[in-house]
């Protein structure tokens, strides 16, 4: 058998078998949001905060008082039958609603933080799985090439056209390829197991699809306002402002209208209306201290928000640098990949014409595999830098659940 006939067979691509329905990145994110208990818990906290807001903003409750004294002289009789309704003249209910709004904003920020962290983890792990799958495919092709080359060289050795040391050389190359494939298979299985845990469903190796492209906004305008940590600080500031308002209201009068009936023992029933105004006289500085404490909290949160924005801006700038570098690496690797394919084609011709040795051909094919692995790792870095940029900017990908 001639080398010219063997080389195309040796370098032929391996056709994979049919796989399961691929799992896309957005589908993985949708499964994670639907299946993870931590997401459900965050949603429950939002619902709880909304109900608390309703309670805090409710109008003062109407009270009915019933009492009886026997004999009449041992107890008061004004409250034998009393219907009272406090009146909100100074906005205590609206202050309660504002406090509830701050609680809802906190819960929503917490929920957004859970989704952001989950998105970051899923994106990174999905990228790890796709990279592991690509590396396994490359290892399988390396093993297939080494096996074809071993069979071809063995035939030539048996025909006396090549020395026996050549067969030993390709056998070593084949064993190396098998070890690499086994390691890549283990890495893929581990990555898929971790991905399954993150999204809450069992995933097989064959279901791992392409990572695809992510629409990463490059406009920094208003992006930082979407970050969960900044949203949480803004909500805490609003809550502190409301606390200061409520503390101020505690020193204002309270007005109540009452409907009363005479005592049960009175032979003649009479009904009347009473207006009750309660005015706080002296609380030993409690309201002032509470308001001052809340205002100090507002000042502290202003500082924390300013600091968080600066940190967020630097994180976003750093993520942008990594994203640009990863994109540049992809472009450079594509150029190297073309050059390496050309090298392998020339090595094939050179070996056919006996211008280069078997070692030179093996080195050329190995260089191609190394470039393919480098391309896969470059795509992994790009995916991780995109995930980091999304997290730094507070962006959440739209998914259909």
């Amino acid at each position: 058998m001639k080398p010219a006939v063997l080389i195309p067979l040796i370098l032929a691509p391996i056709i994979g078998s049919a796989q399961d329905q691929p799992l896309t990145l957005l589908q993985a994110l949708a499964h994670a949001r639907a299946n993870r208990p931590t997401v459900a818990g965050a949603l429950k906290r939002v619902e709880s905060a909304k109900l608390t807001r309703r309670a805090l903003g409710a109008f003062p409750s109407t009270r009915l008082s019933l009492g009886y004294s026997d004999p009449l002289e041992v107890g008061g009789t004004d409250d034998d039958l009393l219907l009272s309704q406090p009146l909100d003249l100074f906005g205590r209910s609206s202050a309660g609603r504002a406090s509830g709004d701050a609680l809802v904003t906190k819960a929503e920020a917490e929920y957004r933080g859970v989704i952001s962290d989950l998105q970051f983890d899923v994106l990174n792990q999905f990228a790890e799985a796709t990279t592991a799958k690509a590396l396994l495919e490359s290892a399988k092709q390396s093993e297939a090439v080494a096996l074809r080359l071993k069979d071809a060289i063995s035939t030539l050795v048996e025909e006396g056209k090549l020395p026996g040391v050549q067969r030993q050389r390709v056998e070593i190359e084949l064993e190396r390829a098998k070890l690499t494939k086994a390691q890549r298979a283990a890495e893929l299985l581990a990555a898929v197991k971790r991905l399954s845990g993150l999204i809450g469903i069992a995933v097989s190796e064959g279901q791992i699809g392409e990572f695809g492209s992510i629409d990463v906004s490059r406009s920094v305008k208003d992006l930082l306002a979407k970050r969960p940590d900044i949203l949480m600080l803004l909500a805490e500031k609003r809550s502190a402002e409301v606390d200061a308002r409520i503390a101020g209201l505690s020193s204002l009068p309270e007005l109540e209208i009452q409907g009363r009936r005479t005592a049960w023992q009175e032979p003649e029933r009479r009904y009347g209306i009473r207006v009750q105004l309660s005015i706080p006289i002296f609380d030993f500085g409690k309201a002032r201290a509470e308001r001052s404490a809340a205002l100090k909290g507002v000042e502290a949160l202003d500082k924390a928000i300013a600091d968080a924005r600066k940190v967020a801006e630097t994180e976003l700038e750093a993520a942008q640098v990594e994203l640009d570098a990863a994109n540049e690496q992809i472009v450079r690797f594509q150029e190297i990949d073309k050059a390496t394919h050309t090298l392998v084609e020339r090595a094939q011709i050179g070996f056919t014409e006996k211008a280069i040795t078997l070692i030179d051909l093996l080195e050329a094919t190995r260089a191609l595999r190394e470039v393919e692995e480098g391309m896969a790792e470059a795509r992994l870095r790009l995916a991780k830098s995109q995930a980091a940029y999304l997290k730094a900017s507070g962006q959440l990908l739209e998914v259909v659940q």
Side-chain angles (χ1 to χ4, degrees):
M1 187 178 294
K2 296 182 179 180
V5 178
L6 294 174
I7 297 303
L9 295 176
I10 295 172
L11 300 178
I14 307 301
I15 301 176
S17 59
Q19 296 179 340
D20 299 331
Q21 185 68 26
L23 177 73
T24 66
L25 175 61
L26 294 182
Q27 288 173 343
L29 288 171
H31 284 304
R33 294 187 187 183
N35 298 328
R36 289 294 297 276
T38 182
V39 177
L43 281 174
K44 291 296 182 183
R45 284 189 287 273
V46 173
E47 295 173 5
S48 174
K50 289 180 178 179
L51 293 173
T52 302
R53 176 177 59 187
R54 288 179 57 185
L56 292 174
F59 197 74
S61 60
T62 303
R63 297 190 302 273
L64 176 64
S65 299
L66 297 172
Y68 184 82
S69 298
D70 186 25
L72 186 63
E73 293 79 8
V74 302
T77 60
D78 287 345
D79 294 341
D80 277 10
L81 178 60
L82 169 65
L83 184 67
S84 61
Q85 176 60 60
L87 301 179
D88 184 11
L89 297 182
F90 300 103
R92 287 184 172 87
S93 296
S94 63
R97 284 192 296 272
S99 179
D101 289 337
L103 289 177
V104 172
T105 304
K106 284 183 182 180
E108 290 175 342
E110 183 181 359
Y111 171 74
R112 190 177 182 89
V114 169
I115 295 296
S116 178
D117 292 340
L118 184 60
Q119 174 181 274
F120 180 75
D121 293 339
V122 171
L123 260 61
N124 276 288
Q125 194 53 52
F126 195 90
E128 292 279 0
T130 56
T131 301
K133 184 176 181 180
L135 292 174
L136 177 58
E137 290 300 319
S138 177
K140 287 180 178 179
Q141 292 184 21
S142 295
E143 182 189 31
V145 168
L147 181 59
R148 290 171 182 267
L149 188 57
K150 173 184 173 295
D151 293 340
I153 296 300
S154 296
T155 301
L156 293 176
V157 170
E158 291 172 359
E159 293 175 355
K161 297 179 180 179
L162 287 177
V165 69
Q166 299 284 32
R167 177 166 55 189
Q168 185 179 6
R169 178 65 182 85
V170 294
E171 287 175 350
I172 293 173
E173 187 68 21
L174 177 59
E175 288 302 316
R176 175 185 171 277
K178 288 180 179 180
L179 289 174
T180 301
K181 187 189 76 169
Q183 177 64 29
R184 299 303 187 194
E187 292 172 354
L188 175 59
L189 180 59
V192 170
K193 292 287 186 183
R194 286 191 288 266
L195 179 62
S196 298
L198 280 176
I199 66 178
I201 62 170
V203 181
S204 65
E205 293 91 331
Q207 287 182 278
I208 304 300
E210 296 293 331
F211 188 86
S213 60
I214 298 178
D215 184 16
V216 179
S217 175
R218 297 303 184 91
S219 174
V220 297
K221 184 179 180 180
D222 298 330
L223 281 183
L224 296 180
K226 300 178 181 178
R227 283 179 56 119
D229 55 344
I230 295 179
L231 289 175
M232 181 64 74
L233 289 172
L234 290 172
E236 290 178 357
K237 176 186 175 182
R238 178 56 182 159
S239 180
E241 291 172 342
V242 174
D243 288 343
R245 178 183 170 188
I246 293 175
L249 292 174
S250 66
S251 62
L252 298 179
E254 297 180 2
L255 182 64
E256 185 177 81
I257 185 169
Q258 301 173 351
R260 293 178 175 271
R261 181 194 183 282
T262 55
W264 303 114
Q265 295 91 336
E266 293 289 340
E268 182 180 357
R269 290 180 296 178
R270 287 178 294 175
Y271 297 90
I273 294 176
R274 176 184 176 85
V275 177
Q276 181 70 45
L277 181 65
S278 301
I279 303 175
I281 298 300
F282 189 67
D283 65 353
F284 300 93
K286 176 183 177 182
R288 181 184 299 176
E290 288 178 345
R291 187 172 184 276
S292 298
L295 291 177
K296 290 294 183 182
V298 172
E299 294 176 5
L301 286 166
D302 280 332
K303 299 294 184 182
I305 291 170
D307 184 68
R309 287 185 180 277
K310 289 181 180 180
V311 172
E313 288 173 0
T314 56
E315 288 180 358
L316 193 59
E317 291 173 358
Q320 183 68 68
V321 171
E322 292 178 345
L323 186 59
D324 292 340
N327 280 313
E328 178 64 23
Q329 278 196 340
I330 292 293
V331 174
R332 296 292 298 274
F333 263 108
Q334 288 174 343
E335 297 173 354
I336 297 172
D337 185 65
K338 292 179 181 178
T340 309
H341 274 89
T342 302
L343 173 63
V344 171
E345 292 173 1
R346 292 179 177 177
Q348 172 187 347
I349 297 173
F351 184 75
T352 303
E353 297 179 353
K354 298 183 179 181
I356 64 173
T357 64
L358 174 63
I359 300 299
D360 296 326
L361 177 59
L362 289 175
E363 290 298 327
T365 55
R366 181 181 297 178
L368 178 59
R369 298 304 173 209
E370 290 175 351
V371 170
E372 289 175 346
E373 292 180 357
M375 176 70 80
E377 292 171 355
R379 290 195 177 99
L380 175 61
R381 285 190 291 272
L382 176 60
K384 288 191 171 185
S385 62
Q386 288 174 331
Y389 189 90
L390 289 174
K391 186 173 179 62
S393 61
Q395 297 179 76
L396 297 179
L397 296 177
E398 295 293 333
V399 300
V400 179
Q401 297 193 31

